[in-house]
Amino acid sequence: MTERNSWVGMASILLLSLAARAAWAHDGGRSDRSADPTGILQTINSNRRTDPDGAFFQSLGTNGRTCATCHVADQGMSMSPPQINQRFEQSRGRDPLFNPVDGANCPNARSGDAAARSLLLSHGLIRIALNLPAKAEFTVSVVHDPYGCALVPTGVNGQMALSTYRRPLPSTNLRFLSAVMWDGRESPSTPTSALNDELTDAANLIADLTQQAIDAVAGHSQGTMTPSKKQLADIVNFEMGLTSAQVFDRLAGPLDGRDALGGAAALAAENYYPGINDVLGADPNHIAFDETSMTLYAAWEDGGNPYHDNGRDFFARRQARSDIAAGEVLFNTASMTISAVRGLNDNAALDSPVSFKGTCTSCHDSPNVGDHSLPLPLDIGVAHSPRAGLENDPNIRKAIAQLDEPDLPVFLIKGCSSPFSAGQPVSFYTTDLGKATSSGLCSDLNRLKGPILRGLAARAPYFHNGSAATLMQAVNFYNERFSMSLTPSQKRQLVAFLNSL
């Protein structure tokens, strides 16, 4: 970036920050607003004002970390590399975020050593040490270990700990969750209600989030004592009260204007229950799947009629709104050929098709939210290895080539049958075993959940391993992976829509 462009970018962020403060004052402080690369993110706390002394912001462990260390309000309640690098420079690597327990590539890193924290600084990745199940259906060996701690003995009953590197998921919009954590390992309870019992569903989610908070304090914060019931309730109540969404776009203007439904206020009112609009027909209310699951910007398909927007940048604003609306239509309707996806092409509910036609909403079916409304972790290929000679599927190879893949450990998996050719043994390479790391099942290998899509613009990079530096890279991945044949204009419109979420 040139010096001039750098100053232009800084000036734009400053102007958006001032606009965010003005908007916050205008709505009486009911919501927090912060500038991000494409506009303004809005977060509403239904429990009224945020208490900066609440348990979410307290150090409950031994290393100085709080929940807010990795879940930052102006970064979509996650965190992004530009701000991570700024924290490293300002603290000389001594901010609690960089504690080697998981803020370094390996736990033996020296304080202040940036190279030993390259994955956090470049891709926003936290190291998760997960013990392999003693009776896993498969075997794991290391074929690429760039940091020296990919698979190490735990000293307990011969168990091995596998280093997995993942992005912190946002701690907002949690009432829309169908599974807690990328691999769902904190969701023994959610959802168990087959009758759409809202009280049961809510109780299950709260129980899962409470256990997740206990485990986070013990692991990430190296706590020696379990937080009190009051502290845990305070954390979960705070998280459950948060709703975040993009509310202003620097080109399109207010995303809740001219009958559009962007912003956190409309999202907070969105109807949701586990199974709503389920693509596999498991909606507990027996309502058929509707591929038009995104309906935020239908009113903008004619350009959003910006005649009353004070005449400012009329044509640019009209075009930007048309692009967002067109991107939403593409999200709902653009055809993709879905093949070799664990969780779909081996799914008995779909009769295990070799391939089938779908759209973005085939996996992102929860209306105006974008995750899957029931737990359905999938292997779309992001965890496959980008290293030469280690991937056989040409579509996955072409898709991964669109990404900014981090240098992660690569594991060889043996002992399973192919889910797409029953009875045939298969060995393959991966950088993340997904749900199988905790379940030990061949059928769960590489399978990870699709996260909630609201607030994307504030929390780059994308995918569990941060391999999509931008939303355009993510769109390019899907275009190659599922043979979408999108034009450059359609890609641009999809990105505009995703940034508006």
Side-chain angles (χ1 to χ4, degrees):
M1 179 181 288
T2 66
E3 183 176 357
R4 178 182 182 278
N5 287 338
S6 176
W7 278 108
V8 170
M10 291 172 62
S12 298
I13 293 293
L14 176 59
L15 289 173
L16 287 170
S17 296
L18 293 173
R21 292 179 186 176
W24 183 82
H26 178 71
D27 69 12
R30 293 192 300 271
S31 66
D32 291 323
R33 302 185 183 218
S34 55
D36 58 40
T38 68
I40 294 174
L41 177 76
Q42 177 187 35
T43 296
I44 292 175
N45 186 345
S46 65
N47 296 324
R48 300 184 179 178
R49 292 181 182 271
T50 296
D51 179 6
D53 297 319
F56 189 90
F57 302 96
Q58 294 175 10
S59 174
L60 302 178
T62 62
N63 60 17
R65 285 182 174 175
T66 72
C67 299
T69 299
C70 297
H71 300 281
V72 187
D74 65 0
Q75 294 156 60
M77 296 305 289
S78 180
M79 60 180 179
S80 294
Q83 292 87 350
I84 293 170
N85 279 269
Q86 185 179 49
R87 288 164 71 176
F88 189 89
E89 293 171 4
Q90 291 176 345
S91 70
R92 298 183 180 180
R94 291 176 174 80
D95 187 289
L97 171 62
F98 305 106
N99 188 290
V101 63
D102 55 16
N105 301 342
C106 287
N108 59 353
R110 300 191 313 275
S111 176
D113 184 353
R117 293 161 176 80
S118 59
L119 294 175
L120 178 56
L121 292 168
S122 64
H123 290 78
L125 300 181
I126 291 291
R127 174 180 169 270
I128 313 295
L130 297 173
N131 294 342
L132 288 170
K135 296 183 179 180
E137 296 177 344
F138 49 83
T139 62
V140 182
S141 59
V142 182
V143 297
H144 177 60
D145 188 0
Y147 313 111
C149 61
L151 194 62
V152 296
T154 65
V156 179
N157 299 325
Q159 277 191 309
M160 301 293 287
L162 184 150
S163 288
T164 300
Y165 302 85
R166 294 175 182 166
R167 297 275 292 125
L169 282 160
S171 55
T172 184
N173 299 326
L174 299 191
R175 77 175 182 89
F176 302 110
L177 284 183
S178 60
V180 178
M181 311 302 284
W182 283 105
D183 51 16
R185 67 183 184 277
E186 297 281 10
S187 296
S189 305
T190 306
T192 59
S193 173
L195 300 176
N196 190 21
D197 183 333
E198 292 184 10
L199 292 177
T200 300
D201 291 335
N204 289 340
L205 179 56
I206 289 171
D208 294 344
L209 291 172
T210 300
Q211 187 60 51
Q212 189 271 331
I214 293 171
D215 293 342
V217 170
H220 300 308
S221 297
Q222 296 177 290
T224 57
M225 297 179 60
T226 300
S228 68
K229 290 183 179 180
K230 182 178 179 181
Q231 289 171 325
L232 291 168
D234 191 41
I235 291 172
V236 174
N237 287 340
F238 172 71
E239 293 176 329
M240 286 290 287
L242 298 181
T243 303
S244 299
Q246 198 80 344
V247 73
F248 184 88
D249 182 271
R250 65 171 65 188
L251 298 178
L255 294 168
D256 53 359
R258 305 273 75 85
D259 298 320
L261 299 174
L267 178 58
E270 190 70 43
N271 182 39
Y272 171 81
Y273 53 84
I276 188 172
N277 199 41
D278 178 63
V279 70
L280 299 181
D283 188 314
N285 292 326
H286 307 292
I287 300 173
F289 168 66
D290 181 356
E291 70 175 16
T292 307
S293 72
M294 290 294 188
T295 57
L296 301 172
Y297 300 107
W300 283 6
E301 291 181 22
D302 63 351
N305 187 26
Y307 287 100
H308 301 291
D309 291 344
N310 301 323
R312 295 174 300 175
D313 303 320
F314 169 82
F315 293 106
R317 181 163 289 190
R318 182 179 178 86
Q319 182 60 55
R321 291 179 174 180
S322 292
D323 284 344
I324 289 172
E328 180 173 72
V329 171
L330 286 166
F331 191 89
N332 290 328
T333 64
S335 178
M336 56 174 63
T337 302
I338 299 173
S339 63
V341 174
R342 289 173 181 262
L344 289 178
N345 298 103
D346 57 350
N347 196 311
L350 295 171
D351 296 325
S352 302
V354 173
S355 68
F356 65 96
K357 293 294 184 181
T359 70
C360 297
T361 59
S362 298
C363 300
H364 301 278
D365 61 11
S366 188
N368 291 329
V369 177
D371 61 338
H372 201 285
S373 65
L374 282 176
L376 186 66
L378 303 175
D379 171 19
I380 63 173
V382 180
H384 294 212
S385 174
R387 301 182 68 81
L390 300 187
E391 176 56 52
N392 295 324
D393 189 307
N395 283 355
I396 294 178
R397 284 200 307 270
K398 290 187 293 184
I400 290 177
Q402 306 300 316
L403 302 176
D404 175 29
E405 288 274 350
D407 187 12
L408 297 177
V410 179
F411 304 96
L412 174 60
I413 309 299
K414 291 184 176 181
C416 294
S417 297
S418 170
F420 312 117
S421 302
Q424 293 188 10
V426 63
S427 298
F428 60 91
Y429 301 91
T430 183
T431 59
D432 193 319
L433 277 62
K435 187 178 179 181
T437 313
S438 54
S439 74
L441 301 177
C442 288
S443 58
D444 286 335
L445 282 161
N446 283 2
R447 293 177 61 186
L448 295 157
K449 77 172 183 179
I452 291 168
L453 298 184
R454 302 307 295 267
L456 283 175
R459 63 174 199 262
Y462 308 102
F463 295 134
H464 72 281
N465 57 8
S467 57
T470 65
L471 287 172
M472 182 59 77
Q473 284 192 356
V475 168
N476 285 335
F477 171 88
Y478 284 105
N479 187 54
E480 296 292 344
R481 175 65 178 89
F482 299 115
S483 304
M484 297 181 72
S485 301
L486 296 171
T487 67
S489 178
Q490 289 174 323
K491 292 179 184 179
R492 177 178 55 78
Q493 291 168 340
L494 262 176
V495 169
F497 169 64
L498 294 172
N499 274 321
S500 77
L501 294 175

